[in-house]
Amino acid sequence: MDELDVPVLDNHLHLDPVNGRGVEAVEEFVDRGGTHLLVLNKPSWNLVEAATDAETFREGFDLTVEVTEAADQVLPGRAWPVLGVHPALISKLVEDGYEPGEARDVMQAGLDVAAEYVADGPALAIKSGRPHYDVDDDVWAASNEVMRHAFELGAEVGCPVQLHTEGGEDFTELVEWAEAEGLSREQVVKHFSNGSVRGPVKSVIANKDDLRDAVESGDPFLMETDYIDDPDRPGAVLGPKTVPRRVRWLLQEGHEDAVRRAHVETPARVYGIDTEATLS
């Protein structure tokens, strides 16, 4: 496969060193022209157990850091961990008998640990959010408090926050909450965005229709697969080859400026990373 001669960043991809393909998936990404990765920890119950204390969160985070370091060795660019607490953990905890407020406290403590990995290295950002499915009012309120705590931590340690939330287009309220906690709206990233999301920086799932909308918007955007590295669901959500393939398609369509926006300018603007200088 010919190289693309541009950095190619997948902004949201999971690697599972316990149950999945791990670095083998990264090699597939590289073979198609991929250069840089942001590797998100999988939900704690996929790696260790449903985390309820700092030690268990650290165990899962360490696994993600280790597989990200292994990915870094095979990429022509770099890989960085993004660590946090999956918002669905609140439902797991409530099902196990926790009150929503108690579950909130557990999740905020997990975010505190994630922030340590940013402050001390090697993590680049924090992940948080709220459930993408219907929950009762108490769980919803507690989830919003967890997310606002992530914004507070992002401001404190100086890092972006990637959000896993419900679908939709208008998330201006969330960036207002982030700003109220001291975090710039340019450091709020909406994972699994369509091409028309407003408010946060959109991390667009790499299908053609949403990418067309993102290109036409003229807004800063990133590209992602949300690859989950699950042997029972190979290729879900999108396979690791997808972002390089879509970059190739965008270039063929004449969208060189948009490719640079998504893979050079926006990563620099949001994360402070230089995807050109970090290419070997």
Side-chain angles (χ1 to χ4, degrees), residues 29-248:
F29 172 73
V30 172
D31 183 61
R32 293 291 171 171
T35 62
H36 293 75
L37 290 173
L38 266 59
V39 180
L40 282 287
N41 62 284
K42 292 185 74 171
S44 55
W45 58 92
N46 290 159
L47 294 176
V48 283
E49 57 188 86
T52 58
D53 56 37
E55 182 178 349
T56 314
F57 281 113
R58 287 185 195 279
E59 186 178 351
F61 293 162
D62 285 342
L63 286 169
T64 300
V65 169
E66 289 168 10
V67 76
T68 305
E69 290 172 346
D72 200 71
Q73 297 301 308
V74 301
L75 288 166
R78 286 286 315 279
W80 296 272
V82 175
L83 304 176
V85 180
H86 196 285
L89 178 59
I90 195 165
S91 297
K92 293 272 188 185
L93 294 172
V94 169
E95 287 170 6
D96 287 343
Y98 286 73
E99 293 296 324
E102 295 172 329
R104 173 204 62 211
D105 293 346
V106 168
M107 295 171 71
Q108 289 181 340
L111 289 170
D112 290 342
V113 175
E116 293 176 19
Y117 281 72
V118 175
D120 301 334
L124 185 66
I126 294 170
K127 170 188 173 179
S128 185
R130 62 191 183 190
H132 60 277
Y133 48 87
D134 290 339
V135 294
D136 66 34
D137 290 346
D138 289 343
V139 170
W140 186 251
S143 297
N144 280 324
E145 290 177 21
V146 171
M147 182 169 51
R148 294 193 71 143
H149 185 63
F151 294 150
E152 181 182 5
L153 291 170
E156 182 180 313
V157 299
C159 78
V161 176
Q162 279 203 27
L163 294 181
H164 174 120
T165 75
E166 74 280 7
E169 293 188 354
D170 187 357
F171 293 92
T172 52
E173 181 181 47
L174 300 192
V175 296
E176 290 167 358
W177 289 358
E179 289 176 328
E181 301 295 342
L183 184 68
S184 164
R185 66 176 54 208
E186 288 193 346
Q187 290 192 296
V188 182
V189 178
K190 171 67 174 73
H191 146 64
F192 210 95
S193 284
N194 61 44
S196 303
V197 159
R198 300 187 301 280
V201 175
K202 49 200 172 198
S203 183
V204 179
I205 193 71
N207 63 59
K208 290 183 178 181
D209 288 343
D210 285 319
L211 289 172
R212 285 191 185 100
D213 289 343
V215 169
E216 291 172 4
S217 75
D219 297 334
F221 73 101
L222 300 151
M223 291 171 60
E224 67 167 76
T225 56
D226 193 23
Y227 175 66
I228 63 173
D229 198 9
D230 182 345
D232 294 329
R233 298 174 62 198
V237 172
L238 296 174
K241 301 176 184 178
T242 310
V243 166
R245 283 175 169 169
R246 293 293 183 259
V247 168
R248 194 177 302 275

